[in-house]
Amino acid sequence: MRILGFESSAKTASVAVCDESGLISQYYQNSGLTHSRTLLPMAEDMLKNLSLTVDDIDLFAVAHGPGSFTGIRIGVATVKGLAWAKDKPVCGVSTLQALACNGEVMPDESLICCVMDARRGQYYNALFEMRDGLPVRLCADRAIGAAKLAEDIENQKKRVFIVGDGALLCYNTLENLKANVVLAPEVLRFQSAWGVCVAAARAPWQSVHELLPVYLRMSQAERARRESAVGHAVHTEKQGGSA
Amino acid sequence: MLILSVESTCDETAVAITENGRRALTDQIFSQTGLHAVYGGVVPEIASRSHVELVSRLSERALEAAGVTKAQLDAVAVSYAPGLIGAVLVGVSFAKAAAYALGIPLIPVHHIPGHIAANYIAFPELEPPFLCLAVSGGNTLLVDVRGYTDMAVMGATRDDAAGECFDKTARVLGLPYPGGKYVDALSQTGDDTKYALPRAHVEGNPYDMSFSGLKTAVVNLVHHAEQKGEALDRESLCASFSRAVSETLVPRTMRLAKALDYEKIAVAGGVAANSRIRNDFKKAAEAAGARLFIPPLSLCGDNAAMIGCQAYYEYLAGTRAGSDLDAYANMEL
């Protein structure tokens, strides 16, 4: 089974082809050019170099989030276009789950802490534990405050391997807390399409229409509206209480 | 030649299949109006999220409705500028990937010529050259359509688009979003001479326009009335406002048509649905002996059929894009 994987959830754009034997090819571009310019040309060029066509691909995989809203949508919409045109299945995998594959270098019982910079003082995060050489999920993907995450890791008795574009920032905070943490070396730190392919090979397939981005956050407008609605409800309740 | 076209520049997700630039086999449109109404305007992030949820389903539905298979498609077209960048990116990413995987050409289409091309569907006899007023929530342009792909902007708004002005007026009057049709409905029974509203004339190009003064005048008028506790004659305000917009658009268009010696005048875009503007154009065209083309209401708003029709002529002119096609928030015609 041949998988074409896409990763565009943050600054880097990456495309990979994997099969049963492992990685066949991976492109990784951190040029600052928009993903809409680079992602599909990378795939096109890669398949051409491999003397493959889109027809030779059995499954299209993509990191469906969390991450940059626009970046995720470019990846998801690209995979939808390919899979729809070819009537092929897709597999949307968590960006953090794919990233956890970088931690497979660690021995069993180590924790893998995947952290992406989510801005506004938060990380996108999930925790995994290595069992029989594979990362097993301990919590759902979440957007979490830096202090809360530090507290979570501080409470772990096990060694924690930190990966992701938020890893360095997170590690610096934790080092002061003297937790048993290991910062992933740079070559193993970032999300890649290879990780997406590996995660997809272990996950169930979806139909093209079922594939949806996972944002973990509402849009700014929805959040503001909800906050003002909640504020209004609290205000009304207070008024009601005093009457 | 069968083209599958995708439109996602604002708050409509649409996929159409068109034939030879003149016939729409199907135009599957999902309007997000209901998603944005509570915010009083289009929220770009919500628009982008909705596009990506629906684009493949609408494509599938378009094939079914047209009774066409993917193998019969000759090209994929996409509206790649201008628009809400996050929204446009969804359509562009999907269309690029589909064209590449299907092994057929990808045709990039500018949204404004797309609106103009809506007239080619409605009026099989219409051929360039003609003058077109493209007027919507995002644009107000007087376009000299010399050929299907050879156009020049002769006049434009210097500030707000006419449609934006309609939305703002509706909003300040507490009407639902999008407000154009509600303003239109109220204005039917109003007195269009009751409120004196400005028609701006800008320096330099006599075909350029300005709507920000009119917008401010309406907002101030409503706020003053509220402060004084005076009841507004909403019907007459809507009628006076619609008249002011129409008197900014219609005479300019007619003067320019005369200057260019064109006897064909077309109108395109969402504001072309306004009854006052349609009627004023009909009268003016009749008086000038000009032929007027205004698409039916269904083709005035954003849709994908218009993109597919323009794409056909772009294809004939040799326009193609590759996998590196980007989306653009702004792009001159």
Side-chain angles (χ1 to χ4, degrees), chain A residues 69-87:
Chain A
F69 296 167
T70 300
I72 295 166
R73 276 193 292 268
I74 290 171
V76 168
T78 300
V79 160
K80 276 181 182 275
L82 295 169
W84 175 76
K86 287 289 154 192
D87 296 310

Side-chain angles (χ1 to χ4, degrees), chain B residues 208-224:
Chain B
D208 276 355
M209 296 155 269
S210 163
F211 291 97
S212 66
L214 173 61
K215 187 173 86 176
T216 309
V218 172
V219 171
N220 289 343
L221 203 141
V222 174
H223 286 166
H224 284 159

Side-chain angles (χ1 to χ4, degrees), chain B residues 240-274:
Chain B
S240 304
F241 166 77
S242 302
R243 181 181 167 186
V245 175
S246 184
E247 288 182 353
T248 303
L249 297 172
V250 180
R252 263 185 188 72
T253 309
M254 299 312 295
R255 276 201 306 275
L256 181 55
K258 199 175 174 203
L260 292 170
D261 202 19
Y262 282 161
E263 51 96 33
K264 287 181 282 188
I265 297 166
V267 188
V271 179
N274 179 269

Side-chain angles (χ1 to χ4, degrees), chain B residues 145-321:
Chain B
V145 186
R146 295 163 183 165
Y148 288 108
T149 57
D150 176 16
M151 300 175 204
V153 174
M154 307 302 286
T157 178
R158 297 269 179 95
D159 39 58
D160 301 326
E164 200 180 327
C165 211
F166 269 99
D167 285 337
K168 184 72 187 175
T169 296
R171 198 170 176 171
V172 78
L173 288 174
L175 300 170
Y177 175 87
K181 64 176 178 184
Y182 299 99
V183 172
D184 199 355
L186 279 180
S187 68
Q188 300 301 322
T189 53
D191 170 8
D192 66 9
T193 61
K194 180 156 179 177
Y195 294 98
L197 294 168
R199 286 107 171 109
H201 292 274
V202 296
E203 290 291 317
N205 184 348
Y207 304 112
D208 276 355
M209 296 155 269
S210 163
F211 291 97
S212 66
L214 173 61
K215 187 173 86 176
T216 309
V218 172
V219 171
N220 289 343
L221 203 141
V222 174
H223 286 166
H224 284 159
E226 278 171 3
Q227 277 164 11
K228 289 183 192 164
E230 287 171 4
L232 268 177
D233 178 354
R234 289 150 58 95
E235 288 78 4
S236 295
L237 180 57
C238 287
S240 304
F241 166 77
S242 302
R243 181 181 167 186
V245 175
S246 184
E247 288 182 353
T248 303
L249 297 172
V250 180
R252 263 185 188 72
T253 309
M254 299 312 295
R255 276 201 306 275
L256 181 55
K258 199 175 174 203
L260 292 170
D261 202 19
Y262 282 161
E263 51 96 33
K264 287 181 282 188
I265 297 166
V267 188
V271 179
N274 179 269
S275 65
R276 172 76 197 229
I277 295 168
R278 291 175 92 94
N279 287 335
D280 285 356
F281 261 120
K282 273 176 203 152
K283 283 181 217 154
E286 209 167 292
R291 290 163 67 197
L292 179 69
F293 302 88
I294 307 184
L297 300 189
S298 61
L299 283 168
C300 286
D302 286 352
N303 64 82
M306 67 186 201
I307 300 301
C309 288
Q310 180 62 22
Y312 174 74
Y313 295 103
E314 296 289 347
Y315 180 85
L316 295 183
T319 310
R320 304 284 188 280

Side-chain angles (χ1 to χ4, degrees), chain A residues 19-240:
Chain A
D19 66 15
E20 289 82 359
S21 66
L23 180 68
I24 308 299
S25 177
Q26 173 168 253
Y27 286 8
Y28 186 93
Q29 188 163 340
N30 191 10
S31 60
L33 283 175
T34 60
H35 297 333
S36 61
R37 283 276 321 282
T38 58
L39 202 66
L40 191 60
M42 286 200 290
E44 189 174 2
D45 192 54
M46 179 181 293
L47 292 182
K48 203 166 147 195
N49 263 324
L50 296 172
S51 297
L52 295 174
T53 71
V54 189
D55 293 304
D56 299 314
I57 302 299
D58 303 301
L59 178 70
F60 297 94
V62 64
H64 65 197
S68 145
F69 296 167
T70 300
I72 295 166
R73 276 193 292 268
I74 290 171
V76 168
T78 300
V79 160
K80 276 181 182 275
L82 295 169
W84 175 76
K86 287 289 154 192
D87 296 310
K88 295 277 177 74
V90 300
C91 181
V93 300
S94 152
T95 316
L96 297 161
Q97 179 90 47
L99 192 55
C101 298
N102 298 22
E104 289 177 19
V105 66
M106 297 298 284
D108 272 9
E109 295 191 15
S110 308
L111 294 186
I112 313 300
C113 175
C114 303
V115 280
M116 297 168 64
D117 185 0
R119 313 269 168 89
R120 303 196 296 115
Q122 286 194 316
Y123 294 112
Y124 292 126
N125 161 258
L127 290 169
F128 301 83
E129 183 176 342
M130 288 305 296
R131 288 178 202 159
D132 300 326
L134 292 176
V136 176
R137 185 181 276 280
L138 297 183
C139 70
D141 289 357
R142 56 194 179 169
I144 186 171
K148 176 74 175 69
L149 179 61
E151 192 187 310
D152 265 24
I153 296 172
E154 182 79 356
N155 291 334
Q156 301 293 341
K157 303 281 181 286
K158 295 169 180 164
R159 174 187 283 194
V160 183
F161 185 73
I162 306 185
V163 295
D165 60 28
L168 185 60
L169 198 64
C170 179
Y171 177 78
N172 289 339
T173 322
L174 293 166
E175 214 186 16
N176 300 332
L177 299 174
K178 301 195 174 53
N180 185 8
V181 291
V182 181
L183 175 65
E186 245 187 294
V187 288
L188 285 178
R189 197 177 299 160
F190 304 106
Q191 49 268 60
S192 71
W194 186 1
V196 171
C197 291
V198 171
R202 299 169 184 161
W205 297 1
Q206 299 164 286
S207 83
V208 63
H209 306 313
E210 288 169 330
L211 173 66
L212 293 175
V214 176
Y215 302 101
L216 296 187
R217 271 183 184 165
M218 286 184 283
S219 67
Q220 171 69 31
E222 285 170 291
R223 210 162 47 233
R225 184 164 175 269
R226 176 171 288 199
E227 276 161 19
S228 90
V230 169
H232 180 71
V234 170
H235 183 68
T236 314
E237 209 165 88
K238 274 181 186 164
Q239 282 184 328

